[in-house]
Amino acid sequence: MKPAIGSYAVDMSTGRVGRVMGHEGPYVQLRPFGGGREWDCSPDMVREATTTERLRAATAYANRRSRGEVP
C-alpha cells in the first residue's frame, strides 16, 4: 500500500503515527506529528491512521509542547 502524500499513516513496526511526505524508492517517508525528522518505512508495514490515532498523536504532541519538551 502506498498512502497518499499528506495523509496520516501508522508505521506498524513501531506504532508511530506520521504524515506521509513522499515515496522514495521502495519506501514511504513519514514525518512525526508536529514536525521533526522523517523516517522511511516499508510500504507493507504502513496502514492508514484512524481518527483516534491521529487525535492521540496530536494530543501527545500538544502535551510535550506544553511541558517545553518540543518547540
Side-chain angles (χ1 to χ4, degrees):
M1 168 192 161
K2 284 200 174 185
I5 294 174
S7 65
Y8 287 91
V10 176
D11 179 347
M12 294 187 298
S13 65
T14 64
R16 293 174 66 189
V17 176
R19 187 169 188 179
V20 179
M21 302 307 293
H23 304 106
E24 191 65 38
Y27 298 104
V28 176
Q29 294 179 317
L30 300 175
R31 178 173 288 161
F33 194 92
R37 178 174 272 182
E38 295 177 5
W39 76 94
D40 292 335
C41 184
S42 176
D44 59 338
M45 293 303 293
V46 173
R47 66 171 174 78
E48 185 177 341
T50 65
T51 302
T52 301
E53 290 168 326
R54 288 192 328 237
L55 288 172
R56 187 176 298 137
T59 302
Y61 173 74
N63 288 338
R64 285 192 313 270
R65 197 171 108 192
S66 70
R67 292 189 300 260
E69 297 172 4
V70 294

